[in-house]
Amino acid sequence: MKHLLLFAALLLFGCASSRAQTPVAKPMNATEKEVEDLERQRFAAQVSKDYAFLEKAFADDLIYTHSNGKQNNKTEYLQSIRDGKSQYDKIDVETLNVRAYNDGKTAVVNGTILITLPPKDGQPNLAHLKYVVVQVKDKKKGWQVVLWQSQKQAS
């Protein structure tokens, strides 16, 4: 009986430890790496208000859904940055995952970011977001964001 209990305990421990192992991430291919780099550059451009970069990065048919549910097209979103409605002091990428599809012509990106916004009433103003981005590769314009969707996370 003791041997049976010991065997059951070892079996359970072995099953639990095999599930707890961290999966090995597959290496990024060239397309995924390119899109990751562009995502990071776009976040930097949003902070620095690099409108030339943002004009190229966002597709003309962009749908940008903010974490509060408000939607903008490309013109509206860029104007919201110009008007100070969308201000970013800093954007820290916490996680970023890129998956390429359609022979490297479409990419789906998801991740989490921490946005530092201008202080509100003298207090730090942070937004912790999960997001999804869809980018497509245009033959003439290169990679462009066609969709942004974000959701606030608990702090």
Side-chain angles (χ1 to χ4, degrees):
M1 182 68 164
K2 285 182 182 179
H3 291 345
L4 184 59
L5 288 175
L6 180 61
F7 176 73
L10 287 173
L11 184 63
L12 285 173
F13 177 75
C15 290
S17 65
S18 68
R19 279 191 303 207
Q21 292 177 359
T22 304
V24 177
K26 72 174 183 83
M28 286 186 139
N29 66 34
T31 297
E32 293 165 341
K33 181 66 177 139
E34 181 182 11
V35 171
E36 178 184 350
D37 291 345
L38 288 169
E39 277 292 291
R40 292 177 186 279
Q41 290 172 32
R42 182 175 52 80
F43 288 138
Q46 287 173 262
V47 171
S48 68
K49 299 179 182 172
D50 182 347
Y51 298 111
F53 184 89
L54 295 173
E55 282 285 346
K56 291 178 191 174
F58 292 126
D60 291 338
D61 62 346
L62 171 72
I63 298 172
Y64 194 101
T65 306
H66 298 268
S67 61
N68 63 5
K70 181 175 172 50
Q71 270 189 352
N72 293 137
N73 62 32
K74 177 180 178 175
T75 303
E76 293 166 338
Y77 179 62
L78 292 176
Q79 191 60 46
S80 77
I81 296 173
R82 286 184 177 96
D83 293 344
K85 293 177 185 172
S86 296
Q87 290 184 341
Y88 312 99
D89 287 348
K90 187 176 180 186
I91 301 176
D92 292 312
V93 175
E94 295 177 336
T95 62
L96 195 152
N97 179 50
V98 180
R99 290 170 288 153
Y101 298 97
N102 194 20
D103 295 324
K105 296 179 186 115
T106 306
V108 176
V109 182
N110 68 291
T112 55
I113 55 176
L114 181 63
I115 301 175
T116 304
L117 304 158
K120 196 180 231 182
D121 300 324
Q123 299 297 314
N125 191 6
L126 302 174
H128 192 223
L129 305 178
K130 279 189 180 179
Y131 69 93
V132 175
V133 172
V134 176
Q135 291 202 28
V136 295
K137 190 169 190 177
D138 182 274
K139 288 181 181 181
K140 295 179 183 173
K141 299 177 183 178
W143 285 103
Q144 293 192 303
V145 175
V146 295
L147 176 74
W148 165 273
Q149 176 94 34
S150 62
Q151 177 182 6
K152 287 184 182 176
Q153 300 300 293
S155 298

